[in-house]
Amino acid sequence: MENDKDQIIAEELLRTADIRINGDRPWDIRVHDKRLYGRAISQGSLAFGEAYMDGWWDVPKLDEFFDRLFRAKIEEKIPESWQTLLWIAEQNIFNPQRRSKAFEIGKHHYDIGNDLYSAMLDARKVYTCGYWKNASTLDEAQEAKLDLVCKKVRLEPGQKILDIGCGWGSFAKFAAEKYGVHVVGITVSQEQIKLGKELCRGLPVELYYQDYRDIEGEFDHIVSLGMFEHVGHKNYRTYMQVVRKHLKDDGLFLLHTIGQDYSTTSGDPWIEKYIFPNSMLPSVNQIAENIEGSFVLEDWHNFGADYDKTLMSWFDNFNTHWNKLKNAYDDRFYRMWKYFLLVSAGTFRSRRQSLWQIVLSKEGVPGGYVSIR
């Protein structure tokens, strides 16, 4: 009887998003285990994602399913479970992104296998949103994004650039090759450092296994592409102060980050547990509050819709290469990674999340900054 009651509640909620249980449309959910209803309603997004990993439900087009869920704001109609409330409280009481925990995300996510990322990403191994304005392929979109960053910070030959969260050195290699600059990159992933140094061999590029709070030196410009999501609201001010300290007075700082349309102090429980531990997305307000007094806002560019295309390209690559990858990763990992990529695509398609490139200066660009698109 309890399952029947929970199923009725689920049907009513899903109807607001035009989703049917066991329907025949690509975004309709197919339920294989009726315990799903009670599990999801009582335990929230963490349990819903775990139930997918367990094979309790499927959807032909997960990205379309979640686009509809997010547009209907279903999560606002379900009370938070006590487990989620406890987890949120812990996130606020403690500092999950403190220095002693800085390298956990590297071990959990970025170190899981260069084979996986090489199969999934573009030729340059760029693990951030591509820029699709004039691009038709993932490789073109990522080259365009890297060039856009270089142009926005006005790179000139001989300059010294800092890349906070350098990944496999994709920006560093591109900037050194195309613009003749010297790049220092830092990351909290040992696997990224190992492969990145190979890829950048022979170029004026230095890559270090290092937390941003341990940066040394002064730089003409600083960029940070897809790392700010790991900083945490308790550390935003510290992060901005670190950047200001190491940026030359006439330098530019480009912050490339995923953002969301509301302020929070925690991330999603499923993403936190399985994909990005100790992470959270900033809001416009949180960024604005923490650049106040440290930087002049020169430019704010939102091309979040491009992340939908990027994520779908990553999933296509991952899915295409799965037969080669499955010897190192099991079927549960496949469902987890598929869920991660396609849920993420749904969040950007529904515009619940955005991708921002923000250009900041210490004292303002004389005569004004000219925006580049």
Side-chain angles (χ1 to χ4, degrees), residues 280-303:
M280 61 162 286
L281 301 181
S283 67
V284 170
N285 186 57
Q286 287 169 323
I287 292 175
E289 284 183 344
N290 286 283
I291 65 174
E292 186 174 329
S294 294
F295 291 103
V296 173
L297 174 60
E298 300 288 358
D299 189 44
W300 195 306
H301 183 188
N302 181 359
F303 54 97

Side-chain angles (χ1 to χ4, degrees), residues 128 161-167 171-172 183-188 192 206-208 210-215 219 221-231 238-244 246-247 253-256 295:
T128 49
I161 315 301
L162 173 65
D163 181 0
I164 304 176
C166 63
F171 169 80
V183 185
V184 175
I186 64 168
T187 177
V188 292
Q192 287 184 333
E206 304 171 51
L207 303 181
Y208 297 102
Q210 188 180 61
D211 178 57
Y212 70 90
R213 284 159 285 211
D214 297 321
I215 292 169
F219 300 89
H221 304 293
I222 297 176
V223 302
S224 184
L225 313 181
M227 176 272 174
F228 196 64
E229 299 90 334
H230 305 311
V231 171
T238 296
Y239 179 91
M240 295 300 174
Q241 290 172 341
V242 166
V243 172
R244 180 177 172 83
H246 296 284
L247 180 65
F253 168 44
L254 185 141
L255 178 66
H256 172 118
F295 291 103

Side-chain angles (χ1 to χ4, degrees), residues 9-24:
I9 294 172
E11 287 174 344
E12 289 296 322
L13 286 169
L14 292 173
R15 188 174 292 118
T16 65
D18 189 28
I19 295 170
R20 301 172 191 154
I21 294 174
N22 298 325
D24 57 5

Side-chain angles (χ1 to χ4, degrees), residues 8-180:
I8 291 170
I9 294 172
E11 287 174 344
E12 289 296 322
L13 286 169
L14 292 173
R15 188 174 292 118
T16 65
D18 189 28
I19 295 170
R20 301 172 191 154
I21 294 174
N22 298 325
D24 57 5
R25 299 172 300 178
W27 59 85
D28 286 333
I29 186 170
R30 277 69 158 170
V31 177
H32 308 309
D33 191 320
K34 288 193 173 184
R35 291 176 295 172
L36 170 67
Y37 306 119
R39 184 177 179 182
I41 291 171
S42 64
Q43 299 176 46
S45 64
L46 174 59
F48 193 55
E50 288 178 333
Y52 181 81
M53 292 164 63
D54 292 338
W56 286 21
W57 63 277
D58 277 296
V59 174
K61 295 287 186 180
L62 270 174
D63 49 306
E64 293 185 26
F65 172 76
F66 278 102
D67 176 30
R68 290 170 180 272
L69 279 188
F70 292 130
R71 287 185 186 277
K73 300 184 178 180
I74 297 295
E75 74 282 2
E76 296 179 5
K77 301 166 187 175
I78 303 174
E80 297 281 14
S81 67
W82 69 264
Q83 296 100 323
T84 300
L85 292 172
L86 178 60
W87 176 76
I88 292 173
E90 290 174 348
Q91 297 284 299
N92 282 280
I93 293 170
F94 303 105
N95 182 357
Q97 299 84 17
R98 58 190 178 275
R99 188 190 295 264
S100 63
K101 296 174 75 66
F103 297 91
E104 288 184 2
I105 181 63
K107 294 181 177 68
H108 183 93
H109 187 82
Y110 299 105
D111 288 350
I112 59 177
N114 286 329
D115 58 339
L116 169 66
Y117 294 111
S118 295
M120 185 180 85
L121 304 177
D122 64 300
R124 287 187 175 272
K125 295 178 179 57
V126 184
Y127 197 18
T128 49
C129 180
Y131 190 51
W132 292 84
K133 182 180 178 182
N134 298 309
S136 57
T137 68
L138 181 62
D139 283 351
E140 290 175 356
Q142 294 296 15
E143 289 256 347
K145 189 269 302 298
L146 295 175
D147 197 52
L148 184 69
V149 172
C150 294
K151 289 175 178 174
K152 283 184 176 182
V153 295
R154 302 177 175 179
L155 291 194
E156 294 181 6
Q159 290 182 332
K160 188 175 182 181
I161 315 301
L162 173 65
D163 181 0
I164 304 176
C166 63
W168 294 271
S170 55
F171 169 80
K173 187 173 189 292
F174 181 90
E177 288 176 337
K178 305 292 185 180
Y179 284 82

Side-chain angles (χ1 to χ4, degrees), residues 237-292:
R237 176 65 67 176
T238 296
Y239 179 91
M240 295 300 174
Q241 290 172 341
V242 166
V243 172
R244 180 177 172 83
K245 176 182 177 182
H246 296 284
L247 180 65
K248 288 185 177 179
D249 288 345
D250 60 350
L252 294 172
F253 168 44
L254 185 141
L255 178 66
H256 172 118
T257 183
I258 298 171
Q260 57 190 6
D261 55 8
Y262 59 93
S263 296
T264 186
T265 54
S266 62
D268 175 80
W270 187 86
I271 291 289
E272 165 76 19
K273 182 175 180 179
Y274 291 101
I275 307 298
F276 295 121
N278 310 327
S279 298
M280 61 162 286
L281 301 181
S283 67
V284 170
N285 186 57
Q286 287 169 323
I287 292 175
E289 284 183 344
N290 286 283
I291 65 174
E292 186 174 329

